[in-house]
Structure formats: structure tokens, C-alpha cells
Amino acid sequence: MRNLRNVHRSLLESPHGLQLTASTWDVETNSVICAFGPCKGQALLQLKRWNNPAESPDLVSAADDALNHVASWDAPCPNPDLECDEILDLHYFSDTSIVCLVLAGGDIIVVREDPQIGEEKIEIVGSVDVGISAAVWSPDEELLAITTRASTFLYMTRDFENVTDITFSYDDLKASKHVSVGWGKTETQFKGKRARALRDPTMPETVDEGTLNEFDKSDTTISWRGDGAYVAVNSIESNLRRVVRVYSREGTLDSASEPVDGLVGALSWRPAGNLLAGIQRHKDHIDVVFFERNGLRHGQFPLRLTEDEITSSAADVSLTWNIDSSVLAVCLEDRVQLWSMGNYHYYLKQEIHPLASTSSQKALSLGWHTEKPLRFTLSSEEGIQRFEYNPVVCNGPTTPPDDYGIVAVIDGKNLKVTSMRLANVPPPMALHELSLSENACDVTVNVVRINEIVAFIGVLHRESISLYEWALTAKPPTPPSLRWLKKIPLEGYLGFMQQQVAFNGEEELFVLASGVNGSFVRILDRKSGSILKEISFANESFRGLIGYQTKLDSDTCLLLRVASAVSFSRLKSNTNDLRVVRTLGGFLNSSPRVEAVRLQFPQLQLPQGSSQDGDRQGDGLVIFGLADNGLLIANERILARNCTSFLVTPAHLIFTTSQHLLKFVHISRVEELEVPPDTPELDERCRSIERGARLVTVMPSIFALVMQMPRGNLETIYPRALVLAGIRHSINIKRYKRAFLACRSQRVDMNILHDHDPARFLANIGLFLDQVEKVEHIDLFLSQLREEDVSKSMYKETIGASISGHDGANSETLSVRISHEVSKVNSVCNAFLEVLHDRTPARFQNIITAHVCKVPPDLDAGLLEIARIREQSPQEADRTVEHICFLTDVNRLYDNALGLYDLELTLLIAQQSQKDPREYLPFLQNLQGMTPLRRQYSIDNHLERLGKALKHLHSLNVFEEAKSYVLKHDLYVEALELYRYQEDHLAEIMRLYADHLHQISNFNEAGIAYDYLQDYVAASESYRLAHLWKESLACATLIPLPRSQLHSLARTLADALVESKDFFSAATVHLDYLSDISTAARLFCKGYFFADALRTIGLHQRLDLLEPVIDAGLVEGMSSMTEFLADCKSQLHAQVPRIRELRTKKAEDPLSFFDGDVNGSADIPDNVSLAPTDASTAGGGSLFTRYTNRTGTVGTNATRKTSKNRRREERKRARGKKGSVYEEEYLVNSVGRLVQRVNTVGEDVRRLVIGLTRRGMRERARAVETAMVDLVQLCHSAVADVFPTTTETAVDDGDGARTKPAEEGSGDGGVVGGLLRPKGADGVLWDSLEAGLEKKAERPLLKGFERLSILSHVET
């Protein structure tokens, strides 16, 4: 789909009296080495350098000014068979500044531009006495292949040493045994079972014998493969036929070609290596034929020449491929044709003619640049031209609504035109093929809206220009028709060449041309083709002419090269001045690689109100450019360095990258352009595409983007970025039908219609209903509503706030917000219902849908609507019932209809279900015969709405039946509420409820219920079972119990309290109810309540208990507490160093730490990022699979009991076995628990220290206090080491509570931090690793311990 557009042309005429005989590129400086002579009658040979046009800005100059002399000498021909010597190969070595010439007479000459001491400037380094017929250097410049006139083949090194000497012989033809199996022949195609007498497809109709053609000049041609591994030689063997021999780099014969009649000497090996191109002459036509390396034919295509051109222009034809194998140049005697291939079709893209004054009959010579694919020289005896082309897609406007996706493809005298919006025709076919009067040079397309939508196609020819008109909306469709054809006057223009054409607005065409006198631009009227104005630019070289238009502005932009500066300039048709808009010389001339610029520089007018900064902003224009090394430039800013193609729409810059990604950039100010990252799975602005795909055209109106694959076939995609941009734009301008249909056709979640701008949508529901209209479409929208805000999740807006303000997004009532407490789905459904209730009965179906689609579905309201409709229109009610049964489960609907106590509606629903009438008819008939209350009770009981059924029994005033119903269904709470004003019935229900609570072991509430009924015996027993000693003893005294039974109850309760370690309460019971002072004091001491023990002894004057009870309790408490504190210290001394050791090992060798080094420190890669398979994980496994002993994928082991594995792994994690991956986590948790225990016993230690001090045991008190203080300090250091401070450290709320920021993702298999958490045993390990990274370990709060001042001592 790409045409070749000329972006540069410079001319050089041969100096007076000299003939140009050869030329070659100096790739380092991009200059050309030209050789003049030798020729007939003159043996002088001169070498001159034609400098780079960047250094010499003149388009054409006199030879004396443009050429720099290199060397000259006399070169008489040593071979008497030749009239004069001839340059067969001219090659320049840029690394050594040496020119190598191979002459037909046999001399090999080197010319050193900067000879060193002891070196000659001109030196003959070798000579072949018999003469040389062909010579070519290898692509790596290490070997020189030479064929001599004695039918020998030589290899010479860079030092001109002969390494191979081969003699051609007839036996070489036996090197290949060619067998054709008829691939692609008509004989191999199936024609039906009745086809008879099929000929053997391996036997061709005619067999070529290799007959020589009368135009064959008996020349020899050499061509290297692109990698230099093989070389092909085309020569005549024994004056019988031509043969193409293929030799390896070592000089071994690899193959010989099959015989081909009429094969001539042209030969060029495609650098890609798959084909060798040659020329086959027939009587009436000429074919370019292709060979494989093994010598077999592999297709052909004809040169489109007339009979006169075959005998005149095509008498001598040569072939040459460019460096990237994309273009094949066919050099005739008076022109050069550039062919390219796409989808197995060869297109004639350009036909270039020499200078107008050329009169030589010698074939033109074309020399491709070895680094720039589409840069070449075209030389003849009279002069040389330097050309540069760029592959561009000629497409129409990409601005809606004119984005018809028109693409014009040049193919010689055929112009293939296709509108991708009307018919996506794959190349090489086209929707319309226009027959042109002569070969096309360039083409431009514009869409104009006059009375109808018309596309104008301007076609530029060599000496004329034509305009075609195409009515895009005509019925029936019509092909483009010629409107006018104008010849270009050539008087006074030497070396004239038309280069480019572009529309300027709707009424003008700009034509860029060049000649000997400089470049000029002609402005033509679109209607008549007459020339309005001509602007000349003497001595200035244009890089290209670009046409682009928007609705706000219409300009044509010139890329002008002046000296070494490159600038974009805006050209106005009403003035001859060029005003510089943007200077990009800093990027485009920083190195020779970016010297050539692809000329696709659309101009975009920024929205009104955008800031402009003089020349830097250039009146709001943003110019995008693509350099040949992949630099994508916006004004002076580099956006990407790996761009391969790009397009521009009013909303997006779209480009492809060498990483096979398609990216979208929202149009904005240059400094605000945001290029998305390479994350196609996360960002709608980036998506993966096929390798090598290039952009062809974009149609934002239908969200379509057309790309061309490397083979040439087209692919149309609908990128999410385009689709969502179109949907959002439609919502912003309230075109809801277009947005809805786009969501429907492109499978976009319809919640975006609401979520993009909720306030605007809710305010325009009436407009939405009027535009969408169809009831089915409204139902579709309502049925897809869900609570998720898709504008913040799957369709998150990627355009910046500064940009979105220009397109009006969210511009109306943005301050209105919907409360998060109200369901989004219910809010939308309610809003629809408010509008639909005022509409015609045709919207009944939508009303039902709105009720059913609520969360949860409001089926009762929907059924009530049906009941209302039934009263107005029974037929409409039947259709509505059928619709609601389609939306939800009919069995559920039946139950809801029955719950409304509407038997007729229930019957309608039942008739739409699959129920057997024998099931529901008797039931409904039975209900029909009941009284209303009894019917309602029966229905609610049937539907298991037990609370309502009990209410109906209460209304029926049948207490015994109600009591039985309460007992059966445990409806005690409901019954207590119903009978709260009937004391006798309430007492009975309360007694039943208390017994029920006692049976289910809810002794606390059972005791309260019995207490309410003043049944203190049952209440006391229930309280006792609930371990509520105060309530139980209180009820026992209210009975009242005998003293012996009360003491027994108190002793039982005290024993239970001691077992539960509630020593204070147990001591209180002994003291108050058993009057056992000794036991009470012991229990106080056991709970470290020494102050209460001393108070009790003093109160009852039992001083005899001080030593046996108090002092003994203090000693026992000190012993147990000292032992506990010592255990805590030893635990910290053992665990904290181990944690440090584990963390050091993990930091030094993570793989060994997690793997346990089971493979002896073998270098095994971690495959955790790869998809696991049985083959890849059986040997070593990944970080997860090696430890959890899991291999295979879920697909191959789908029956694995992942929950069992998870539980087993959780047990491993809880044990924290030494040496396992869970050890560190276990130790960290253990230290945390120890700190909590220390906080708990801190108050007990303080009471113990005070008690010891009060009883005169000062040293013991100091010992306990010192041990506690040491432990607290040790815990402080341990917490600092084990729980390092992170950004997610805990925060003290003031009362000891700890909080930390919430973490995303929880549960098994959730998303954590953007990564998918694994399931099963791997999930347990995942949690452990997360905890190890301090993402879940909470730093505990350690309480301080304050010393007693009377125990403190001053350290000396």
C-alpha cells in the first residue's frame, strides 16, 4: 500500500569535454566518487568527489564548483581487442579512504586520498593479462570476485592476493539435478472426480534448452548474496546457453541454473538471499525471472513495455536490488523503473528519466547507497543525479466525518483506489483501478463536501497532472472519473522533474518540481487545472512537500534545506514569502543517520485557548516527524526512538514501534504529550500487533485502523483506545444512540454510558430513551448494569485533565455527585422508572426490566406493575408476563406472585412455567376456598415466611395453634413481640423460650429469662452453669437456700474460678460467703494481689497469717516470676541472633535460602516467571515448586486437591521447622508474642516488687525489678532488630491499639500489588514471603517499666 515519494533530487552535469563513466558512494560522508573517462579517443581517467548536498546546498552547480579533484592519470588500454579501457567496478573503502578501480583491460588500481609515507597515491596492485569481464566486491569488502575473458573465476583478498582460481567448464552444469513437481501448475489442481486423462504434472509442456537471444551482448555479471556467503556468476557456457553458477565463499560450486530460453546477462541477488533476479527476453515481451539458490525457477513478472520500447529502450537491461531488498531497479537505456512487491504482486512505483539533454545510447547506471535503503545515484555520460525516496501511504483525510479511509496505490499506468470504509479490498486488488495516460509519480487525495461527499484524486505524471472526481455517496456506486488533464509547460526548464503534489485546502493544488535552475512550487486551481502562481526558490533544495488540512486551518508545509539547517516552513498561496514555523535542525542533522526524513508531517491546530509562545509554538501548530532511524519528533521534542510508522487524527497520534506495539498518544500541547509505557495488558493506549505491521490508514468515525503485514496483506482492527475515545466523545455531545451502538458492536461494557459522566446521564435519561428508541435496546442496557464503576477500572480515562477540559468532557454539573451509600444500579433503574411512567404503554416492558434489574431484583414491584397493566390491557399483560419470565427464574416469580396473595397473577405466572397443572391447580383452588386470613397464613406457611404466618395466626386469635407453631419453628422472639401486651400468653411464651435457651446451652440468657419469671431456683442453676457467680449467689439468697446448700454452691463457684485463674473473684467468694480468711489471703497472693491480702488480714485481725501466708506467697511469687523472666531472656538470646543469621543468608544467596540448597549450590535459574510444565519443573523447579513439591500446571493436574495441600502447607508454616522457608516468619511471630507477654506481666511484677518491699524483702524486690528492667531493655533492642521501621509501620492510637495502611488483595488467588497471588500451597508460601518483606509483620508496642525510687541505687 506504500508508494515511493521523491524527497530529494540534486543534479550534476559532466564538466565540459568529460564523460562520466562510473560512480560510487562514500557512505561515511554521503558523497559520491565520480570517474570521468577513459573513453574513445581519450585515455585520461579522472576521479572527482561530489559532496553531500547538506554541505553544498545548491540544487545544481557548475562542475568546477561542486566537484573536488581526487586524482587523474592516463589509463591506456593494454588489451588490443578493446577500443578503450572501461571501468568495470569502482569501489570506495571509507575506512581507509581508498578508491579501487577494476578495468576491463585487466588492471586493478587503487587510489589513496591520503597516502602515508612510502605509499603511492596511484598504484596498480594487480593485472590480468587476458582481460577482465566482470568484478564485484563482497558486501563485507573482504573479497573481490573477478571473471576473466578466459572463462576463469578468481577470488582476491583485501590485500589483492589471489586465493581461488576456478575454470568454468561444461561439467559444471551437472552440479544440480533439477526436478519439478509441478507446484502451482494447473495440472496439480483438483478439477473434480470426472476429470480424465490428467497429464503428469512433473512433465512440463515445453522444456527450455537455454537458447541464446539475439540481443544478448555476451557479457558476464557477478552478484553477491547479502551476507557474502555465496556469489552468483551469469555467463555464457560454450556459446550454447547462459548459466548462473553459484559458488560458496570458499570457491566451491554450489549449483547451476536450469536452462532458460532467452536469458540475458542481467543478474542481481536479492540481499535477503532467497531469490536471484534475471532478465528473460521473448519475442513480444520481457520478463524479470527469479531463481532460487539451487538454480530452479521461482516465478517472474513482465516489464510493461511496448514493442518499440523492447527493441529500443530495452536493448540493454540491468538489474539491482536496494540494500533492504524492498525495491528492484530495472535500468533501461533511457529510464529506470523501481519495482516493489506486496502480496506476491510486483508494483511499478516509479519511472525515472535521465537529464533532458541525454543522448547516449548506453544503459543508465544506478548505484544504491549501502546504508540508506532508498537513496541512489543515476548516472549517464552527460551527468549524474542523486535521488532519495521514502515509502509513504497516500491516504485521505483522517478527520471525521471525512475519514473514508481512501488509499491510492501507484502501479505504473494503473492507480488502485480503495475506500476502506466502503470496501476493505485486499491488495493487489482494489475497489477501483484507474487507467492513466502515463506512469504516475505521486498522488494525493482530498475529500470535499459540496452538494455531496466527493473525493478528489490528484495524480502527478512526468509531464502532466490529472484530477479525478469520485462521488463517495452516489447510488449506485460509481468509479472515479477524469475531470481534467493538464500538460505542464516545459519551455525554459532544463532537467525538469515533477516530484510531489498536495492539496492546499479545497480549491488549490501545490506541485513541487525541480530543474537545473532550482526548485519551484506551482499553485494550480482545483476546478480548472490552470496555473495560478509559480514560486521559485533558486539554489535551495526541498526535502519534501506535505499537505494536510483540518477544519480550522488549511496549510501546506515545506521542509526546506538551507545550508546545514533544516526548518519547516508554512507556504501561503497569496505570498511568495516563507515564514519559519519550527526549527528542527538539532535533531535532523545531529548525525547522518537522521538526515533523510520520512515526509509525513501532518499539522494540527490546537484547541482555542491554548498557550502559544511565539515562534516556539508556531501559532499553535504541532508538527510530527519520523526520521529514518526511528525518531518520532513533535516540534523539538523526541517522543519515541523506535517508531516504524505513524498516523494522526484530531484526537490521537498513533504509531507502531519496533517492539511490535501499537501506541496511542492523546493530542495536546507538545510538552504535555504522554507516550504510554510498553504495557499492553494494563493500558488501553498500548496493544500488541503482528511482527512488522505498518499503519495504512485510520477511520475514527468507525473506530477502525488498517495495518499492512510484511507479506502485504491487510488487517483491520478496532483498538480499544479508538473505540473508547469515540464512545466518550459521543457521550460528551449527548449522542447516546451512537455511543450505545458502538458499545453493542464492539462489545464494550455498557456501564460506561453512565459511568463516564453519571450526573449528565441521569439528567438526560429522557434524551437517551428518545435516541435509542428500541425497547429491546433499552432492556439490553438495563440488564447489563452492575455496581462496578468501569470508568475507573477497565475503561480508566487516560487523557489528562488539562486536555479533557478542551473537549468538554465532564463539563456539565460536575459538582453533582451520587451518594456512595445508594446502589448505582438502583439509582439508574429508579431514574428510568421516573421517566418511563410518563411514557406510552409501549414502555411497559422497559418498566418491568427496570424493576427486575435492581439489586436485589424488585420482583414484587414488577409483579404489581403487571397487575396494574392487566386491568388496562389483558393482552399487554400476557406479553409482559412472558417478558418477566424470560428475565428471571419462573419458579421464583411464582413464589413472589403467590406471596402477593394475588391468585390470578399467580396463575398467569404458573402458565408460563414448566409446572404441571396438576401440581398447582388443586393448590390454588384450595386457597381460593379459604378465608382471607387463613389463606394468607397458608400461603406464608407454604412459602416458609414463618414470621408472617405467625402474625396471621395471631390475627386469627388461635393461641394454642400459635404456641405449637412457635415450638415447631423456634419463633420465640417473634411471639414475644406479638404477645407483649397479653401477660398470661407472654408468660407462657417466656417459659417456653427459657427452657429452649437452657436446652441449647445459652445459660446466660436462660438465667435472665427465669429471673424475669421469678423462678430463682432455675435462674440460680443457669447462672452457675454460665459461671456468673454474682448472679447465681444473688438468686440463691432470694430463694432463700439453706446455709449448707449456700456454702456448697459458693465452694463450687470458687473452685471453678480458681480453675479459670480468676483468683481475685475466688478470694472474694471465700471471704464473703465462706468466711475463710486464710484461703482468701492465699488466693490473693496467688494472683499477686498482695495489697488486698494484707488489707484482709488486717481487717479481720489475723496477724498470725502474715508469715505462713503472706511471706510464703511472696517467696513463691518471686520464684515463679524470676523463672519466667529468665525463660524470656533465654528465648530472646536464642531467637534474635538466629533471625539475623537467616536474614543475612537470604540477602547473600536468596535462591539457596528459599531452596534449602538441595542441589549442592548448582547454578539453576529461577523459573518463577515462566509457565511451569512437567518437563520444565521436574529437574529443578522454580522458587515455589521446589519447596512445595508441586509440578505441572492447573490444566494438566486439574484434579489436585489444592485445599488439602494448602492445609498441609499451613501446618508446616505454623510449626516453623528449623531450616525450612517458614523458620524466619515463625521466629518473628514468636518474638512478637513474647513482647506481648512481657507487657501483660508488667503489672504483676510491679505488685510483686511493692509487696516484697512492704514486707522488708528489699534485696529480693530489687532482684525481681532488675530482672524485669533488663528484660524490657532486651525486648527494646530485639524489637528494633526484628521489626525494622518501614513506610508501613504501626501507629499508636493512644490506647495501645495498632493500625497500619490497608493492603490491596486478600484471599486465595487474589491480586496483590498488581500480581496474581497463587493458590493452594504456593499461596501459603506467597504469604510467608510477603511477611518476610515486612509487608504484613506489625511492629509490637512495648510498654515501659518504672523502677521504685526506694529500690534504686547510684552506680559508681
Side-chain angles (χ1 to χ4, degrees), residues 1281-1326:
D1281 289 344
V1282 176
F1283 303 93
T1285 304
T1286 63
T1287 57
E1288 296 183 354
T1289 54
V1291 181
D1292 190 355
D1293 292 337
D1295 57 353
R1298 306 291 284 174
T1299 60
K1300 71 173 184 177
E1303 296 181 1
E1304 296 182 359
S1306 61
D1308 200 16
V1311 177
V1312 182
L1315 300 176
L1316 184 63
R1317 179 187 181 275
K1319 297 182 179 181
D1322 285 348
V1324 178
L1325 180 58
W1326 174 285

Side-chain angles (χ1 to χ4, degrees), residues 1028-1075:
L1028 301 174
W1029 64 276
K1030 295 179 183 179
E1031 291 81 356
S1032 178
L1033 292 173
C1035 290
T1037 56
L1038 291 175
I1039 296 177
L1041 278 178
R1043 188 173 184 83
S1044 60
Q1045 295 182 9
L1046 184 61
H1047 284 184
S1048 177
L1049 176 62
R1051 191 171 289 106
T1052 302
L1053 291 172
D1055 293 341
L1057 292 172
V1058 171
E1059 290 181 3
S1060 61
K1061 298 186 182 303
D1062 188 358
F1063 299 109
F1064 191 88
S1065 298
T1068 304
V1069 172
H1070 276 282
L1071 185 63
D1072 295 343
Y1073 289 92
L1074 298 178
S1075 300

Side-chain angles (χ1 to χ4, degrees), residues 41 47 72 76 164 208 217 241 395 409 485 539 548 621 644 786 841 937 1221 1246 1327:
L47 294 181
S72 62
T164 302
D208 286 358
K217 296 186 177 181
R241 74 174 182 92
N395 47 24
V409 182
L485 173 65
N539 299 330
Y548 188 86
L621 285 175
T644 55
R786 52 197 176 93
Y937 162 73
V1221 73
R1246 182 169 183 81
D1327 293 339

Side-chain angles (χ1 to χ4, degrees), residues 809-831:
N810 304 326
S811 59
E812 296 185 4
T813 62
L814 288 178
S815 59
V816 180
R817 294 185 179 180
I818 302 175
S819 174
H820 293 287
E821 298 178 357
V822 181
S823 168
K824 180 192 86 173
V825 177
N826 293 345
S827 299
V828 175
C829 291
N830 291 332

Side-chain angles (χ1 to χ4, degrees), residues 378-679:
L378 181 62
S379 58
S380 61
E381 293 181 355
E382 284 73 20
I384 184 172
Q385 303 179 74
R386 186 160 22 197
F387 293 95
E388 185 175 351
Y389 285 81
N390 271 337
V392 295
V393 177
C394 177
N395 47 24
T398 59
T399 303
D402 299 333
D403 52 339
Y404 279 83
I406 300 175
V407 180
V409 182
I410 295 175
D411 189 12
K413 293 184 179 181
N414 295 325
L415 184 65
K416 301 176 183 292
V417 181
T418 301
S419 172
M420 298 297 175
R421 188 167 168 181
L422 302 179
N424 198 336
V425 182
M429 300 180 291
L431 183 60
H432 298 292
E433 292 196 17
L434 308 182
S435 297
L436 308 177
S437 59
E438 54 181 316
N439 292 330
C441 301
D442 194 21
V443 62
T444 183
V445 179
N446 193 19
V447 177
V448 179
R449 293 175 177 264
I450 309 174
N451 296 325
E452 57 180 354
I453 302 176
V454 179
F456 289 100
I457 305 172
V459 184
L460 190 66
H461 309 280
R462 183 191 175 201
E463 298 178 351
S464 61
I465 182 173
S466 56
L467 184 72
Y468 288 82
E469 183 177 347
W470 184 13
L472 296 173
T473 57
K475 301 293 182 181
T478 57
S481 58
L482 179 64
R483 183 161 184 173
W484 48 258
L485 173 65
K486 296 294 182 180
K487 288 287 185 181
I488 302 297
L490 304 179
E491 293 80 6
Y493 295 98
L494 297 178
F496 175 80
M497 176 181 174
Q498 298 196 119
Q499 296 173 274
Q500 296 182 25
V501 62
F503 277 101
N504 182 46
E506 297 181 354
E507 302 298 331
E508 296 176 344
L509 281 91
F510 282 10
V511 178
L512 173 65
S514 63
V516 173
N517 298 325
S519 298
F520 55 90
V521 175
R522 282 176 172 159
I523 304 174
L524 281 69
D525 180 58
R526 190 260 301 169
K527 296 181 179 178
S528 62
S530 58
I531 300 176
L532 302 177
K533 183 175 293 187
E534 181 175 309
I535 305 175
S536 299
F537 306 96
N539 299 330
E540 293 178 350
S541 173
F542 286 114
R543 300 292 294 175
L545 172 68
I546 309 96
Y548 188 86
Q549 58 179 344
T550 65
K551 294 301 180 183
L552 302 178
D553 194 9
S554 176
D555 290 331
T556 299
C557 188
L558 295 176
L559 177 58
L560 175 64
R561 179 182 296 280
V562 181
S564 61
V566 179
S567 62
F568 291 97
S569 303
R570 185 190 298 181
L571 177 64
K572 292 292 187 180
S573 58
N574 56 2
T575 179
N576 291 350
D577 296 333
L578 278 174
R579 182 162 58 89
V580 176
V581 176
R582 193 82 74 259
T583 300
L584 300 182
F587 292 120
L588 300 180
N589 280 325
S590 58
S591 66
R593 293 183 304 162
V594 294
E595 193 173 86
V597 180
R598 299 181 192 275
L599 300 173
Q600 305 175 26
F601 297 104
Q603 307 169 28
L604 291 178
Q605 188 74 30
L606 288 179
Q608 296 294 330
S610 59
S611 63
Q612 299 181 4
D613 186 14
D615 292 340
R616 188 170 180 268
Q617 288 295 331
D619 300 334
L621 285 175
V622 180
I623 302 178
F624 298 99
L626 177 61
D628 60 353
N629 66 339
L631 284 180
L632 180 61
I633 306 169
N635 291 357
E636 299 180 358
R637 178 187 171 192
I638 297 179
L639 299 180
R641 298 182 180 274
N642 57 352
C643 180
T644 55
S645 63
F646 78 96
L647 291 170
V648 179
T649 70
H652 293 100
L653 163 67
I654 311 170
F655 67 95
T656 57
T657 70
S658 56
Q659 276 76 31
H660 325 301
L661 295 175
L662 176 67
K663 294 190 176 184
F664 293 80
V665 178
H666 296 289
I667 297 297
S668 64
R669 301 181 184 91
V670 175
E671 61 274 8
E672 296 175 353
L673 292 173
E674 181 183 357
V675 179
D678 297 346
T679 54

